[in-house]
Amino acid sequence: GVKSVAEPLESKTPVKTRMVIVMDVPEQATSRDVTVYFSQCGSVVEARVLEGPPRIAFVHFATAEEIRSAVALSGKSFLGSRIQVVEK
């Protein structure tokens, strides 16, 4: 069996961080709040809340699977606000 060329190449490249953008982040939310909330999806590499308006956050994950879990939280309540989550 011939191995696909993509496999060995992929293992040598550094892990690309994947990111979601969270919109409608409540005003009182901190980066730590966002990290704690999204850790239910997997390990949060980094979370950053931008001072609004609009209030948005960037959340970085290591895997595509974690990204899918995060996007699934779109429309859910986070600290009383209905957030929208989209993949960057």
Side-chain angles (χ1 to χ4, degrees):
V2 178
K3 266 195 165 285
S4 105
V5 182
E7 273 176 24
L9 280 176
E10 228 170 43
S11 60
K12 285 184 191 131
T13 55
V15 177
K16 266 229 177 88
T17 323
R18 295 163 173 89
M19 182 170 93
V20 294
I21 298 171
V22 186
M23 290 165 285
D24 302 323
V25 175
E27 261 181 62
Q28 75 273 25
T30 64
S31 301
R32 179 161 165 50
D33 293 327
V34 173
T35 301
V36 170
Y37 183 78
F38 281 95
S39 62
Q40 65 185 292
C41 304
S43 50
V44 174
V45 178
E46 185 194 352
R48 210 157 42 103
V49 178
L50 299 189
E51 292 307 317
R55 289 278 293 186
I56 61 172
F58 296 111
V59 187
H60 297 261
F61 294 95
T63 71
E65 199 176 312
E66 291 168 339
I67 289 288
R68 280 194 295 275
S69 301
V71 170
L73 293 175
S74 195
K76 298 269 194 283
S77 176
F78 167 56
L79 299 180
S81 179
R82 223 178 152 80
I83 53 169
Q84 299 305 315
V85 186
V86 293
E87 190 172 346
K88 173 85 170 82

